[in-house]
């Protein structure tokens, strides 16, 4: 059957889909989700069909094509050539997904097929949702998680830095501030390790590492440019989303989001695939625990630690998991610019630096120095502190910033929001707790992560004494209107408990 | 935020969806599947968002609206007014779906919310898929199935015929031919029962009851017209899809199709909701078993029977389940016109009638006569046979056909495909088996159900003796090209075993 192309003028963002009028679908005996092969000259593509029940969207004799399909057939936009349409069996990975729903373990090949089809746009979002639902409800064996991790790596681009010791770290998150990556990376680089760090932007938090680094320099690079930077400096801190590393992961996250599903196996595979994609040999995972952090109980953290270590072993990556205190924000600034300033002060040994952040960076860097053999057992922390104190890490940080296209020349040029509001203590006493989620909420309402200069600066931490009327935190906004809103939100969420 | 409407010129066929450019989505802190409320004058609608990553589909400052959303906002097609966009929480039913995924039983209210949101387009297909996956993998308690059935009925239109005894029947399917509804309905009508029969069209079979009835008369009516017909004749045989009976069911079937999922609980609810929607008081369910039928084992059929009876009890419908022989096609004709002819011959007591079909119709009608009290126990079959033999059922069938807009005046006017091909026996012996799926496949290749005059006529049944060269079946086609294809397919699937 030959049909006239209608350019639908939409991208699906993944799945290859075409629209047929119900008359043509019925003639071809096709239903929602069935596959057709389209041929235009020497170009071919297989796509899933959607059915238009009215003639308005797609009339009989026509076929509606989305951007991804048009591109694959090399059809100019806004032209209407004819394409040949023929039936095509469904991709075999659908039967693997069905097998998972029926509670059976999938083989490495089966999982690879699914990931390949996901990244090639061969599965519809409904089909991918079934796979995610299957993994969530039936769980995944460690063998399956390992196969999934490998498949996600292999179906994307991979960075292959030259160094023998390639280090990566990851924090499970949920702790406001806590910008340890920007402290740890320059220490490790100064110690001679290779650290091709790809980071994420904030999704639900006030700032991701990539957002914070972006205050200082560019974070979006193509693979070639990035490999050049890594070769020159030994590492980088860039936004992972700009490259095609484990692209299946992002597509899976898209269908997890509507139900806020976060299956443990998927989480493990997602994190370790990013590490594998940059060819990490040594990996440190930081699991902060505490009220308001992503993982609240030590028991859950210990279980997760074990699983990470096992997966690391199966993947051939030396993986060390540390459970840290995530009961309150770490560092003083929360928000991209405020966090960047904290980090730079710390690297510079500036007296205004947050000591809790420094302590944590030294600990994490110390572990990585020890597991890579750059420090003897028990000496990692000492060496990390030396590197930091000597200013070598600070220098290395500037090397990275300059290689990535510096946005400023000196640390003091970091701009903060023009409008501020101080929140002062309503009583004299001792800070008993500071809730991560509440502080993150205030920072987001202030404009984070989009407004990089917005955020919250904490003048006090848990255990500090405070007098009535003394500043506890300062809210920074770029957009003055947000100030009122941030004040209101503070009243609702507050998040700070002061005892006697 | 106010955005300019872009008419996307597509209907989604259900879910209310809008497209934002990623810049605007990021400004509003929105992700795939989050909800926004759109306001245009006094009209409001809540929709899920999709994010355009390029500016081509939807550029910043614009919002792409699909047909369903445009209609609800009363926006003229191809105009570009501004609409107000504000954040909206996700529908609460998403949390119920999440609860089901976590293995917890849903309450009647929770299931009702989900069905209401499904029918109102408030859930995206990804969210609905999670619900279907949850039911499939975790199963449903009988209480949940009953809640689902009731919710599907209540969120659609309902027929409320006047009669006290409202009868319905359903066959689980998978047996070629087997057009018993068209035999049973006129017998029951002639016996004074009310039979508001809504039927389906073929999806994967060569003919549905609605396709077959459509050979004789119209089958698409609105609710008002249909109520008029039922009041006049006592019943009808129409296409259920033309009315809004249990519309949630069709939307669920759409997301089941891609993985060919058919959860038992969903099957029960789907069938019984259609019965409840026409206010049936007495229901007969026919479960044919045998190789190639939908249910192959007696054990599975018995389990299903028990569940149907229990659900019927909970729904307040007297439900009787009969397990029948589905090991071979029933009747001689397979395909809409051929099946219609078989039925009319049978009702007319024509010597060319298929006796196996007659026997089954009499049995099924007999049961319904007994459970409604129209016949004493053990007398149902006898009375059914009398009604049939007397010609009263035939007369009643013509009443229905005429009330529904007859397409022909006499039975012999039923047209069959112009081109035929006889398949003859390759040996002398006895027919050992005829596979339903194979015969259905040949009939579909011949053009069924779209080509109503196409199909297969069986000259022999299991147990019949056949001589080498004697006709076993005749294939009818409207489109001569299909004949070659049907011959080829016969060689591949064959489906007839001849013993000595």
């Amino acid at each position: 059957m030959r049909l006239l192309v209608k350019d639908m003028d939409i991208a699906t963002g993944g799945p290859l889909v075409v629209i047929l009028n119900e008359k043509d679908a019925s003639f071809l005996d096709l239903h929602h989700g069935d596959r057709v092969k389209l041929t235009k000259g020497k170009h071919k593509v297989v796509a899933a069909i959607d059915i238009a029940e009215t003639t308005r969207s797609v009339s009989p004799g026509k076929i509606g094509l989305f951007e991804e399909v048009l591109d694959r057939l090399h059809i100019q936009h806004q032209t209407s050539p004819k394409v040949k349409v023929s039936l095509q069996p469904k991709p075999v990975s659908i039967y693997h997904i069905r097998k998972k729903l029926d509670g059976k373990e999938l083989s490495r090949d089966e999982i690879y097929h699914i990931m390949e089809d996901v990244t090639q746009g061969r599965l519809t979002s409904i089909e991918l949702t079934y796979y995610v639902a299957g993994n969530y409800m039936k769980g995944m064996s460690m063998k399956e998680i390992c196969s999934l991790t490998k498949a996600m790596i292999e179906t994307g681009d991979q960075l292959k830095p030259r160094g023998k010791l390639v280090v990566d770290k990851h924090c499970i998150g949920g702790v406001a501030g806590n910008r340890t990556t920007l402290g740890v990376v320059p220490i490790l680089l100064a110690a001679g390790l290779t650290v091709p760090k790809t980071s994420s932007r904030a999704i639900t938090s006030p700032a991701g590492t990539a957002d914070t680094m972006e205050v200082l320099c560019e974070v979006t690079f193509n693979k070639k440019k990035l490999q050049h930077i890594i070769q020159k400096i030994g590492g980088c801190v860039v936004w992972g989303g700009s490259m095609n590393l484990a692209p299946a992961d992002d597509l899976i996250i898209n269908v997890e989001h509507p139900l806020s599903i976060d299956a443990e196996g998927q989480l493990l595979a997602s994190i370790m695939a990013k590490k594998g994609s940059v060819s990490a040999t040594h990996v440190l995972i930081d699991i902060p625990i505490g009220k308001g952090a992503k993982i609240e109980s030590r028991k859950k953290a210990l279980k997760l630690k074990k699983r990470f270590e096992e997966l690391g072993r199966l993947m051939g990556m030396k993986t060390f998991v540390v459970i840290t205190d995530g009961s309150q924000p770490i560092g003083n600034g929360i928000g991209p610019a405020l966090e960047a300033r904290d980090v730079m002060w710390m690297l510079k040994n500036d007296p205004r630096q947050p000591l809790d952040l420094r302590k944590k960076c030294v600990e994490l860097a110390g572990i990585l120095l020890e597991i890579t053999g750059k420090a003897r057992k028990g000496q990692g922390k000492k060496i990390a502190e030396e590197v930091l104190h000597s200013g070598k890490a600070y220098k290395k940080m500037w090397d990275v910033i300059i290689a990535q296209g510096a946005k400023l020349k000196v640390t003091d040029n970091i701009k903060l929001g023009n409008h501020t509001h101080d929140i002062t203590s309503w009583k004299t006493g001792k800070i008993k707790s500071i809730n991560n989620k509440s502080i993150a909420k205030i920072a987001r309402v202030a404009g984070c992560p989009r407004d990089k200069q917005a955020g919250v600066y904490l003048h006090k931490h848990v255990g500090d004494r405070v007098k009535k009327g003394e500043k506890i935190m300062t809210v920074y906004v770029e957009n003055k209107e947000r100030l009122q809103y941030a004040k209101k939100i503070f009243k609702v969420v507050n998040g700070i408990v002061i005892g006697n």
Side-chain angles (χ1 to χ4, degrees), chain A:
Chain A
M1 188 178 222
R2 294 178 75 83
L3 296 170
L4 211 59
V5 168
K6 174 176 176 183
D7 179 352
M8 299 310 292
D9 209 16
I10 305 185
T12 59
L16 298 170
V17 179
V18 300
I19 303 183
L20 289 183
N21 183 271
E22 64 172 345
K23 289 217 169 60
D24 292 327
S26 145
F27 181 81
L28 292 167
D29 196 17
L30 289 170
H31 304 275
H32 272 285
D34 284 346
R35 265 45 177 201
V36 288
K37 183 165 81 180
L38 309 187
T39 314
K40 167 83 183 24
K42 60 180 182 179
H43 302 293
K44 285 173 191 156
V45 65
V46 173
I49 70 153
D50 241 343
I51 295 174
E53 280 162 17
T54 62
T55 57
R56 228 189 119 243
S57 299
V58 175
S59 50
K62 289 197 177 170
I63 183 163
L65 305 192
F66 293 100
E67 209 157 315
E68 290 84 353
V69 174
L70 285 168
D71 290 348
R72 275 177 173 76
L73 288 175
H74 294 254
I75 293 177
Q76 292 279 321
H77 289 296
Q78 306 299 350
T79 62
S80 310
K82 280 204 167 183
V83 290
K84 201 180 132 198
V85 180
S86 57
L87 313 195
Q88 199 61 16
K90 289 191 181 179
V92 67
S93 61
I94 286 183
Y95 302 94
H96 307 330
I97 294 174
R98 179 70 196 258
K99 185 177 165 188
K100 183 72 203 175
L101 292 190
D102 288 331
K104 292 182 193 102
E105 191 182 19
L106 298 186
S107 72
R108 171 141 194 209
D109 281 354
E110 287 166 338
I111 291 174
Y112 184 83
H113 281 147
I114 297 172
M115 288 305 109
E116 202 188 17
D117 284 348
V118 166
T119 51
Q120 295 301 313
R122 291 189 206 122
L123 292 179
T124 66
S125 53
I126 289 178
E127 290 151 3
L128 179 56
T129 300
Y130 277 118
Y131 177 63
V132 171
N135 285 342
Y136 180 73
M137 281 188 275
K138 301 287 181 183
M140 277 187 269
S141 70
M142 193 41 83
K143 209 178 133 223
E144 279 181 296
I145 297 172
C146 181
S147 300
L148 179 63
T149 311
K150 286 181 177 165
M152 292 205 294
I153 296 168
E154 288 161 13
T155 52
D157 279 347
Q158 290 167 64
L159 285 179
K160 306 214 185 240
R162 282 202 194 149
K164 251 194 221 161
L165 299 171
V166 182
V167 177
D168 205 346
K169 73 168 281 290
H170 184 88
C171 177
I172 296 297
V175 178
N178 200 30
R179 203 49 58 218
T180 54
T181 294
L182 295 185
V184 171
V185 171
I187 296 174
L188 300 177
L189 289 175
L193 292 164
T194 302
V195 198
K197 188 78 201 95
T198 66
S199 296
S200 55
R201 293 188 187 278
I203 297 175
T204 57
S205 70
T209 294
D211 300 309
T212 301
M213 189 66 176
E214 209 174 21
V215 172
L216 307 169
C217 57
E218 300 300 332
V219 294
T220 303
F221 297 95
N222 62 31
K223 191 178 160 186
K224 201 181 153 195
K225 193 94 191 275
L226 190 60
Q227 276 174 321
H228 181 72
I229 293 170
I230 296 168
Q231 201 178 324
K232 196 171 151 198
I233 312 290
C236 61
V237 181
V238 299
W239 175 46
S242 62
M243 271 156 304
N244 197 35
L245 307 179
D249 187 40
D250 296 328
L251 298 166
I252 289 171
I253 287 170
N254 271 350
V255 305
E256 285 181 326
H257 183 79
L259 254 74
S260 311
I261 276 183
D262 201 356
E264 195 194 75
Q266 201 67 54
L267 175 85
L268 288 160
S270 167
I271 291 167
M272 295 301 270
K274 299 285 189 210
K275 309 303 156 215
S277 294
V278 300
S279 309
T281 57
H282 294 73
V283 174
L284 175 65
I285 307 286
D286 172 16
I287 308 180
I289 53 170
K291 209 163 174 254
K294 198 159 170 187
I295 309 287
E296 299 207 331
S297 82
R298 174 164 295 271
K299 198 179 149 196
K300 212 178 152 194
L302 282 168
K303 199 184 140 216
L304 200 55
K305 173 181 159 76
K306 240 181 102 178
R307 304 264 277 169
F308 265 117
E309 286 164 351
E310 198 182 339
L311 181 56
R313 203 159 41 242
L314 290 169
M315 297 290 299
M317 290 187 269
K318 202 168 169 72
T319 303
F320 195 94
V321 182
V322 59
I323 297 172
T324 58
D325 175 15
S327 62
Q328 64 165 324
I330 290 178
N332 302 328
I334 287 114
L338 286 156
E339 293 178 26
R341 194 178 66 167
D342 268 0
V343 167
M344 294 307 277
W345 278 344
M346 177 195 78
L347 291 167
K348 206 182 168 184
N349 299 299
D350 188 292
R352 291 166 292 183
Q353 70 179 306
L355 293 173
D356 58 341
L357 181 64
R358 182 183 185 100
K359 186 166 168 262
K360 185 159 179 188
C361 288
V362 165
E363 271 172 17
L364 299 182
I367 294 167
L368 282 163
L369 291 173
E370 290 184 19
I371 60 172
T372 52
K374 288 282 174 185
R376 268 177 298 139
K377 208 163 179 337
Q379 298 295 307
K381 246 162 80 171
K382 198 176 142 256
I383 292 180
E385 179 52 46
E386 278 170 17
V387 169
L388 196 51
H389 187 75
S390 70
K392 281 184 201 158
Y394 184 59
K395 194 185 162 297
K396 206 70 199 173
M397 183 65 165
W398 274 107
D399 288 349
V400 175
I401 292 170
I402 289 162
Q404 291 187 197
K407 288 187 175 175
L408 38 76
K409 283 186 180 160
V410 290
T411 301
D412 286 337
N413 283 357
I414 293 173
K415 272 191 205 146
L416 301 182
N418 284 323
H419 308 282
T420 61
H421 170 67
D422 292 329
I423 289 166
T424 55
S425 183
W426 48 96
K427 66 188 275 193
T428 295
K430 200 168 157 183
I431 307 280
K432 286 189 72 176
S433 69
I434 303 176
N435 186 293
N436 282 305
K437 280 186 186 154
S438 308
I439 301 300
K441 180 80 191 166
I442 297 166
R444 281 184 78 95
V445 167
C448 297
R450 210 180 44 88
D451 292 350
K452 287 202 156 38
Q453 308 174 20
V456 169
Y457 189 83
L458 293 170
H459 302 284
K460 299 286 175 187
H461 279 266
V462 172
D464 288 349
R465 295 212 63 89
V466 66
K467 279 183 198 152
K468 186 172 175 183
E470 197 181 355
K471 277 197 274 188
I472 305 178
M473 63 168 102
T474 301
V475 180
Y476 289 82
V477 298
E478 270 185 69
N479 174 344
K480 205 172 174 182
E481 281 167 34
R482 286 192 177 264
L483 212 51
Q484 295 306 321
Y485 196 28
K487 283 185 205 173
K488 240 193 270 174
I489 283 288
F490 176 75
K491 278 187 191 138
V492 179
V493 302
N494 188 325
I496 294 183
V497 178
I498 304 175
N500 292 313

PDB file of all heavy atoms in Angstrom, chain A residues 339-350:
ATOM      1  N   GLU A 339      26.669  27.605  46.159  1.00  0.00           N
ATOM      2  CA  GLU A 339      27.437  26.366  46.335  1.00  0.00           C
ATOM      3  C   GLU A 339      28.793  26.484  45.654  1.00  0.00           C
ATOM      4  O   GLU A 339      29.819  26.027  46.173  1.00  0.00           O
ATOM      5  CB  GLU A 339      26.656  25.164  45.798  1.00  0.00           C
ATOM      6  CG  GLU A 339      25.417  24.881  46.637  1.00  0.00           C
ATOM      7  CD  GLU A 339      24.563  23.712  46.134  1.00  0.00           C
ATOM      8  OE1 GLU A 339      25.108  22.809  45.479  1.00  0.00           O
ATOM      9  OE2 GLU A 339      23.350  23.711  46.407  1.00  0.00           O
ATOM     10  N   ALA A 340      28.804  27.106  44.469  1.00  0.00           N
ATOM     11  CA  ALA A 340      30.072  27.290  43.754  1.00  0.00           C
ATOM     12  C   ALA A 340      31.023  28.128  44.610  1.00  0.00           C
ATOM     13  O   ALA A 340      32.223  27.849  44.691  1.00  0.00           O
ATOM     14  CB  ALA A 340      29.810  27.962  42.407  1.00  0.00           C
ATOM     15  N   ARG A 341      30.494  29.159  45.258  1.00  0.00           N
ATOM     16  CA  ARG A 341      31.317  30.030  46.093  1.00  0.00           C
ATOM     17  C   ARG A 341      31.891  29.257  47.286  1.00  0.00           C
ATOM     18  O   ARG A 341      33.083  29.351  47.584  1.00  0.00           O
ATOM     19  CB  ARG A 341      30.476  31.211  46.572  1.00  0.00           C
ATOM     20  CG  ARG A 341      31.304  32.340  47.154  1.00  0.00           C
ATOM     21  CD  ARG A 341      30.439  33.513  47.563  1.00  0.00           C
ATOM     22  NE  ARG A 341      29.556  33.157  48.677  1.00  0.00           N
ATOM     23  CZ  ARG A 341      28.860  34.044  49.404  1.00  0.00           C
ATOM     24  NH1 ARG A 341      28.925  35.324  49.097  1.00  0.00           N
ATOM     25  NH2 ARG A 341      28.083  33.658  50.382  1.00  0.00           N
ATOM     26  N   ASP A 342      31.052  28.462  47.941  1.00  0.00           N
ATOM     27  CA  ASP A 342      31.521  27.614  49.052  1.00  0.00           C
ATOM     28  C   ASP A 342      32.694  26.738  48.613  1.00  0.00           C
ATOM     29  O   ASP A 342      33.703  26.622  49.308  1.00  0.00           O
ATOM     30  CB  ASP A 342      30.387  26.674  49.514  1.00  0.00           C
ATOM     31  CG  ASP A 342      29.555  27.284  50.650  1.00  0.00           C
ATOM     32  OD1 ASP A 342      29.853  28.423  51.072  1.00  0.00           O
ATOM     33  OD2 ASP A 342      28.598  26.611  51.101  1.00  0.00           O
ATOM     34  N   VAL A 343      32.523  26.074  47.463  1.00  0.00           N
ATOM     35  CA  VAL A 343      33.544  25.152  46.969  1.00  0.00           C
ATOM     36  C   VAL A 343      34.851  25.902  46.693  1.00  0.00           C
ATOM     37  O   VAL A 343      35.936  25.466  47.083  1.00  0.00           O
ATOM     38  CB  VAL A 343      33.054  24.440  45.683  1.00  0.00           C
ATOM     39  CG1 VAL A 343      34.211  23.731  44.992  1.00  0.00           C
ATOM     40  CG2 VAL A 343      31.952  23.449  46.018  1.00  0.00           C
ATOM     41  N   MET A 344      34.746  27.041  46.017  1.00  0.00           N
ATOM     42  CA  MET A 344      35.948  27.789  45.678  1.00  0.00           C
ATOM     43  C   MET A 344      36.644  28.315  46.936  1.00  0.00           C
ATOM     44  O   MET A 344      37.876  28.297  47.028  1.00  0.00           O
ATOM     45  CB  MET A 344      35.608  28.925  44.710  1.00  0.00           C
ATOM     46  CG  MET A 344      35.133  28.439  43.331  1.00  0.00           C
ATOM     47  SD  MET A 344      36.257  27.264  42.511  1.00  0.00           S
ATOM     48  CE  MET A 344      37.443  28.391  41.766  1.00  0.00           C
ATOM     49  N   TRP A 345      35.862  28.781  47.903  1.00  0.00           N
ATOM     50  CA  TRP A 345      36.454  29.225  49.177  1.00  0.00           C
ATOM     51  C   TRP A 345      37.211  28.079  49.844  1.00  0.00           C
ATOM     52  O   TRP A 345      38.305  28.252  50.374  1.00  0.00           O
ATOM     53  CB  TRP A 345      35.360  29.744  50.127  1.00  0.00           C
ATOM     54  CG  TRP A 345      34.958  31.181  49.852  1.00  0.00           C
ATOM     55  CD1 TRP A 345      35.639  32.090  49.101  1.00  0.00           C
ATOM     56  CD2 TRP A 345      33.798  31.842  50.370  1.00  0.00           C
ATOM     57  NE1 TRP A 345      34.963  33.300  49.094  1.00  0.00           N
ATOM     58  CE2 TRP A 345      33.826  33.184  49.878  1.00  0.00           C
ATOM     59  CE3 TRP A 345      32.725  31.474  51.182  1.00  0.00           C
ATOM     60  CZ2 TRP A 345      32.844  34.124  50.183  1.00  0.00           C
ATOM     61  CZ3 TRP A 345      31.752  32.425  51.486  1.00  0.00           C
ATOM     62  CH2 TRP A 345      31.805  33.737  50.980  1.00  0.00           C
ATOM     63  N   MET A 346      36.606  26.914  49.792  1.00  0.00           N
ATOM     64  CA  MET A 346      37.236  25.755  50.425  1.00  0.00           C
ATOM     65  C   MET A 346      38.549  25.398  49.726  1.00  0.00           C
ATOM     66  O   MET A 346      39.581  25.194  50.367  1.00  0.00           O
ATOM     67  CB  MET A 346      36.270  24.572  50.385  1.00  0.00           C
ATOM     68  CG  MET A 346      36.846  23.310  50.959  1.00  0.00           C
ATOM     69  SD  MET A 346      35.851  21.891  50.503  1.00  0.00           S
ATOM     70  CE  MET A 346      36.371  21.626  48.850  1.00  0.00           C
ATOM     71  N   LEU A 347      38.519  25.343  48.393  1.00  0.00           N
ATOM     72  CA  LEU A 347      39.735  24.986  47.635  1.00  0.00           C
ATOM     73  C   LEU A 347      40.832  26.028  47.854  1.00  0.00           C
ATOM     74  O   LEU A 347      42.022  25.717  47.845  1.00  0.00           O
ATOM     75  CB  LEU A 347      39.404  24.860  46.140  1.00  0.00           C
ATOM     76  CG  LEU A 347      38.516  23.664  45.752  1.00  0.00           C
ATOM     77  CD1 LEU A 347      38.011  23.822  44.327  1.00  0.00           C
ATOM     78  CD2 LEU A 347      39.278  22.341  45.904  1.00  0.00           C
ATOM     79  N   LYS A 348      40.423  27.269  48.074  1.00  0.00           N
ATOM     80  CA  LYS A 348      41.337  28.389  48.238  1.00  0.00           C
ATOM     81  C   LYS A 348      41.825  28.529  49.686  1.00  0.00           C
ATOM     82  O   LYS A 348      42.614  29.413  50.001  1.00  0.00           O
ATOM     83  CB  LYS A 348      40.560  29.655  47.846  1.00  0.00           C
ATOM     84  CG  LYS A 348      41.380  30.811  47.354  1.00  0.00           C
ATOM     85  CD  LYS A 348      40.439  31.989  47.056  1.00  0.00           C
ATOM     86  CE  LYS A 348      41.239  33.262  46.845  1.00  0.00           C
ATOM     87  NZ  LYS A 348      40.355  34.418  46.656  1.00  0.00           N
ATOM     88  N   ASN A 349      41.284  27.678  50.570  1.00  0.00           N
ATOM     89  CA  ASN A 349      41.563  27.762  52.012  1.00  0.00           C
ATOM     90  C   ASN A 349      41.160  29.124  52.575  1.00  0.00           C
ATOM     91  O   ASN A 349      41.820  29.667  53.467  1.00  0.00           O
ATOM     92  CB  ASN A 349      43.051  27.486  52.295  1.00  0.00           C
ATOM     93  CG  ASN A 349      43.457  26.095  51.835  1.00  0.00           C
ATOM     94  OD1 ASN A 349      42.915  25.091  52.313  1.00  0.00           O
ATOM     95  ND2 ASN A 349      44.377  26.013  50.886  1.00  0.00           N
ATOM     96  N   ASP A 350      40.103  29.672  52.043  1.00  0.00           N
ATOM     97  CA  ASP A 350      39.587  30.964  52.497  1.00  0.00           C
ATOM     98  C   ASP A 350      38.924  30.768  53.858  1.00  0.00           C
ATOM     99  O   ASP A 350      38.224  29.779  54.074  1.00  0.00           O
ATOM    100  CB  ASP A 350      38.563  31.452  51.459  1.00  0.00           C
ATOM    101  CG  ASP A 350      38.102  32.871  51.719  1.00  0.00           C
ATOM    102  OD1 ASP A 350      37.396  33.084  52.739  1.00  0.00           O
ATOM    103  OD2 ASP A 350      38.431  33.756  50.910  1.00  0.00           O
TER     104      ASP A 350
END
